[in-house]
Amino acid sequence: MSTIATHPYRVLLYYCYTPIEDPQVFRDQHHLLCLELNLLGRIIISEEGLNGTISGLAADCEAYMAAVKADPRFASIDFKVETHAQHAFQKLHVRYKPEIVHSGLTHLNPNERTGKHLSPAEFKKLKDDPDVVLVDMRSNYEHSVGKFKNAITFDIEHFRDMPQKAPEVLAPYKDKKIITYCTGGIKCEKASAFLLEQGFEEVYQLHGGIIKYAIEEGGEDFEGKCYVFDNRVAVEVNRVNPTIRSKCHVCGTATERMVNCANPHCNLHTTICETCGEALDGACSEPCRDHPDKRPYDGTGYYAKHLNGYDPKSGFYQNSLEMARRLGQTPTLSE
């Protein structure tokens, strides 16, 4: 986790479960605010709340956080703030979706019932209790590169698969204290609510997730790196007793280097060391290396996604931004 004060950019990770009566209108207003502040990233808005990861210059991020918190609906939002040398994203996406994180558990409202929130300090004290079971609520590609020591993981490709896996995997631990965790805390809101619904009695969640624990408590006992949904791909978490958890998909040597296969028809997201990356020209196998549609490899293993016609600066958004500038106004959340 970078703490270098001279880094000019900030990366914000946040969410808030709160009712939004007209999310489509709010989406347009929020998009306009992000454009004005030169922010990049991914934001999801729905009737149930707000979920985002964005990057920008420090002053722009401060202005964004102040604008969001000024709205009474988001007054309690918890921003996880990291420093970075540059933008962590290439584009801006502000989109409406039915859920702010896809779980399929639309009947659960974390504001009504969810697991007890543990601060990073409380989590640190409780995680090694013999009566405690740590449960990782993330997908395979996330926990493969890093997870807490002794934590239980699910064999799932997407969070929406969790409700089918969790009851069976956790059945032997129903009399234990369950502590759920994820990257920033959002998945645990509904995951812990789901476990309570399934009859688990003592359910807790790491408030702010792995990222907040790293910032406030040094990430002790987190093995490997934390997968993140931006250009950084995976970040350092543990400053106390770090280890490498993952292995190269090709040769099996220890590596934390996450890439996508250069063959777009494969696009496997996995760990591949630099040596194998060079030998296979960014592919995960010889057949993928020899595929006629293989993308050019620049050494990073990162390939920008196609926008499928989505342009954040076209139509309504650009016209509204230009109009606001002509009038000498700064867009806000309440306009």
Side-chain angles (χ1 to χ4, degrees):
M1 304 291 292
S2 176
T3 56
I4 301 175
T6 54
H7 280 175
Y9 285 82
R10 300 292 179 266
V11 181
L12 308 182
L13 177 64
Y14 57 95
Y15 70 90
C16 185
Y17 277 98
T18 186
I20 299 178
E21 290 186 2
D22 196 336
Q24 296 283 8
V25 171
F26 178 77
R27 190 226 84 90
D28 291 344
Q29 296 167 346
H30 205 81
H31 202 154
L32 191 58
L33 174 68
C34 292
L35 289 174
E36 181 68 17
L37 295 174
N38 303 304
L39 302 175
L40 301 179
R42 300 185 184 97
I43 299 173
I44 299 172
I45 293 164
S46 80
E47 286 85 356
E48 67 179 8
L50 172 69
N51 174 23
T53 309
I54 60 173
S55 65
L57 289 168
D60 292 332
C61 286
E62 289 292 336
Y64 176 81
M65 289 188 287
V68 173
K69 281 183 169 288
D71 187 321
R73 294 172 294 184
F74 309 111
S76 64
I77 198 167
D78 180 28
F79 286 98
K80 277 72 71 176
V81 183
E82 301 173 83
T83 63
H84 198 41
Q86 58 192 5
H87 263 301
F89 294 90
Q90 293 178 309
K91 303 176 180 70
L92 172 66
H93 297 265
V94 184
R95 286 179 164 140
Y96 167 82
K97 291 189 177 182
E99 297 179 88
I100 56 175
V101 62
H102 186 17
S103 67
L105 303 172
T106 55
H107 65 292
L108 296 178
N109 183 350
N111 292 321
E112 295 176 356
R113 191 186 191 202
T114 192
K116 180 181 177 182
H117 287 197
L118 295 176
S119 70
E122 291 171 328
F123 173 84
K124 185 177 180 179
K125 291 179 181 179
L126 195 57
K127 66 179 176 61
D128 294 323
D129 186 314
D131 199 38
V132 161
V133 176
L134 298 184
V135 182
D136 193 317
M137 288 297 171
R138 301 171 304 150
S139 304
N140 289 338
Y141 62 88
E142 296 173 87
H143 61 67
S144 68
V145 74
K147 73 177 194 65
F148 279 107
K149 182 177 65 176
N150 299 324
I152 291 174
T153 61
F154 302 132
D155 180 15
I156 56 176
E157 295 301 319
H158 306 280
F159 181 55
R160 63 177 179 267
D161 301 325
M162 180 276 298
Q164 285 72 48
K165 286 283 186 178
E168 178 183 355
V169 174
L170 297 180
Y173 309 105
K174 240 177 179 176
D175 61 341
K176 298 284 189 178
K177 297 175 183 176
I178 303 293
I179 303 180
T180 68
Y181 72 85
C182 59
T183 307
I186 187 171
K187 291 178 179 178
C188 292
E189 297 287 0
K190 286 202 174 181
S192 61
F194 173 73
L195 293 180
L196 288 169
E197 183 183 61
Q198 294 296 305
F200 291 83
E201 296 183 0
E202 286 197 78
V203 183
Y204 303 82
Q205 58 182 285
L206 172 57
H207 183 54
I210 300 163
I211 298 300
K212 193 174 182 69
Y213 178 72
I215 293 170
E216 296 188 3
E217 295 296 331
E220 184 177 2
D221 288 335
F222 189 87
E223 300 173 335
K225 288 186 176 182
C226 179
Y227 185 95
V228 291
F229 296 87
D230 58 60
N231 293 359
R232 298 172 299 167
V233 184
V235 297
E236 298 284 355
V237 167
N238 191 335
R239 303 191 302 274
V240 180
N241 54 349
T243 60
I244 296 178
R245 168 176 166 76
S246 51
K247 297 180 180 180
C248 176
H249 171 77
V250 179
C251 70
T253 59
T255 182
E256 297 168 323
R257 185 173 175 272
M258 292 290 294
V259 302
N260 283 95
C261 176
N263 175 5
H265 304 285
C266 171
N267 206 45
L268 179 67
H269 194 43
T270 188
T271 46
I272 297 179
C273 69
E274 288 190 15
T275 300
C276 290
E278 289 296 328
L280 293 172
D281 199 28
C284 70
S285 64
E286 291 185 1
C288 282
R289 180 194 62 193
D290 299 335
H291 196 284
D293 294 336
K294 190 189 76 66
R295 295 170 288 202
Y297 178 58
D298 65 0
T300 67
Y302 177 83
Y303 307 94
K305 293 182 179 179
H306 293 295
L307 289 177
N308 296 322
Y310 178 89
D311 183 354
K313 293 189 176 182
S314 67
F316 165 80
Y317 317 112
Q318 183 65 20
N319 293 338
S320 299
L321 184 60
E322 290 174 355
M323 182 178 293
R325 284 173 174 163
R326 286 200 301 271
L327 295 173
Q329 299 173 343
T330 299
T332 65
L333 291 177
S334 60
E335 284 184 351

